[in-house]
Amino acid sequence: MPRFAMLAAALLAVMTGGPASAGDAADRAAILSGYAEQAAADDPGFSGFTAARGEDLFRTRWAGGDARTPACTACHTEDPRAQGRNAKTGRPIEPAAVSVEPDRFTDIDEVEKQFRRDCDSVLGRACTAREKGDYITFMQEQ
Amino acid sequence: MRAVLLALPLAVALGSGPLLADDDEWMPPVTHTLTREECGDCHMAFQPGFLPARSWNRMMGTLSDHFGDDASIGIEKANAIRAYLTANAGDVDRRGAARGYMRWITPDGVPQRITENPAFVREHDFRPSVWQRHDVVTKSNCLSCHKGADRGYYEDD
């Protein structure tokens, strides 16, 4: 292999193989099992997450927080596969569904930051570990 | 060699200034990655030139109640962002549209909204139906009308 090609290949490897910020299904599974441990600690009767409860969380008009955002759907829209829009600032939001955005729920810092902000905005309180796991389970099936 | 040496500063000067835009149509863009990221989560990261340093100072000290949102972040990140915003504020770096916006700031004023500056109000005297467009939502959604807003370009488009 000519030296130049070797160098180019090495560079390419560095550029594409760097720390992946876009996560994968294994990262999402790890986040879910972390929430499952917490949920079991909160409630000994906990027996797993369900997409149905996640959908309820998503669609219910809680109206417990900011008047501009009575439900998750105020920003993420009724259809998890559709592009959303921030109801306070007008900024577009990529779809929440994992089928459309495969790197959804794969960075724990990002996931925790948004649950903190969004649950406060909609429910006027923090979401529980069970609610978080249910929500991700629902979005995973979307 | 000589020509290269001379051309270099020229390229730098051009690269950091407005490109084919008149002064009021351009604002020095946000060049600090942390600010772009942390202040660009919910809306576009606004350019520091739209507010004076004391406004950014107050805003960075009140992030837990930020226009009704809790936008608080870790103290180290907040300090780094505060340093960037105040060092590039409109009363420090008066390039581009900053000059026009700073003209309206009273000596003891600490405005928090860009969209209440008389310079903004005068440039945006539209019919209510324009503000009610579903993709606009609020006056602070600069990007809905100015496609180059996050790069500092506000030409009429």
Side-chain angles (χ1 to χ4, degrees):
Chain A
M1 198 192 244
R3 260 178 98 153
F4 171 73
M6 273 169 65
L7 192 68
L11 259 177
L12 198 69
V14 170
M15 279 158 56
T16 54
S21 58
D24 56 19
D27 296 320
R28 192 162 44 245
I31 291 174
L32 270 176
S33 67
Y35 285 144
E37 262 172 47
Q38 262 175 270
D42 293 347
D43 170 15
F46 171 75
S47 61
F49 299 123
T50 74
R53 282 195 312 251
E55 178 160 17
D56 271 351
L57 172 66
F58 180 68
R59 299 196 190 281
T60 299
R61 267 184 76 90
W62 298 91
D66 193 305
R68 293 168 292 186
T69 53
C72 304
T73 56
C75 296
H76 291 296
T77 81
E78 295 287 336
D79 177 4
R81 293 191 204 82
Q83 191 184 63
R85 184 180 297 283
N86 192 312
K88 299 173 184 172
T89 66
R91 177 155 232 207
I93 302 173
E94 293 312 310
V98 171
S99 62
V100 189
E101 291 288 319
D103 63 353
R104 279 280 176 223
F105 318 109
T106 52
D107 174 343
I108 185 64
D109 292 342
E110 180 67 21
V111 169
E112 275 292 293
K113 176 170 80 178
Q114 285 304 145
F115 272 130
R116 178 167 59 80
R117 283 181 184 161
D118 295 348
C119 293
D120 186 49
S121 192
V122 172
L123 294 85
R125 62 164 172 85
C127 282
T128 64
R130 201 200 74 187
E131 285 170 327
K132 294 175 187 175
D134 286 342
Y135 183 82
I136 295 177
T137 303
F138 169 59
M139 288 303 172
Q140 233 174 194
E141 295 181 6
Q142 287 301 300
Chain B
M1 189 61 197
R2 179 118 194 201
V4 172
L5 281 178
L6 283 175
L8 199 62
L10 187 68
V12 170
L14 284 174
S16 64
L19 231 79
L20 301 175
D22 110 14
D23 243 23
D24 293 344
E25 297 182 340
W26 179 78
M27 187 64 105
V30 178
T31 52
H32 187 232
T33 308
L34 187 65
T35 303
R36 284 191 82 89
E37 285 174 2
E38 295 294 336
C39 302
D41 258 358
C42 305
H43 46 63
M44 168 191 107
F46 301 109
Q47 287 88 17
F50 282 113
L51 292 173
R54 55 185 182 275
S55 293
W56 294 120
N57 236 329
R58 173 170 302 171
M59 193 176 293
M60 292 311 295
T62 52
L63 285 180
S64 61
D65 185 8
H66 179 76
F67 304 92
D69 265 19
D70 181 356
S72 46
I73 48 175
I75 184 78
E76 274 172 30
K77 285 184 175 177
N79 283 340
I81 292 172
R82 182 200 298 261
Y84 172 75
L85 291 173
T86 53
N88 293 277
D91 54 344
V92 177
D93 179 353
R94 289 175 173 267
R95 285 179 300 154
R99 182 184 299 276
Y101 274 72
M102 290 309 110
R103 280 207 354 242
W104 298 96
I105 310 283
T106 55
D108 54 350
V110 193
Q112 298 293 289
R113 279 204 188 263
I114 298 160
T115 51
E116 285 173 0
N117 187 303
F120 181 94
V121 175
R122 293 203 317 190
E123 285 155 352
H124 298 85
D125 182 18
F126 309 142
R127 279 167 287 117
S129 63
V130 172
W131 298 118
Q132 283 151 16
R133 266 170 39 199
H134 91 284
D135 61 321
V136 174
V137 178
T138 168
K139 291 182 181 177
S140 70
N141 187 9
C142 322
L143 274 171
S144 63
C145 301
H146 304 284
K147 300 304 167 208
D150 55 348
R151 286 173 286 117
Y153 289 102
Y154 292 97
E155 62 266 42
D156 192 354
D157 57 9

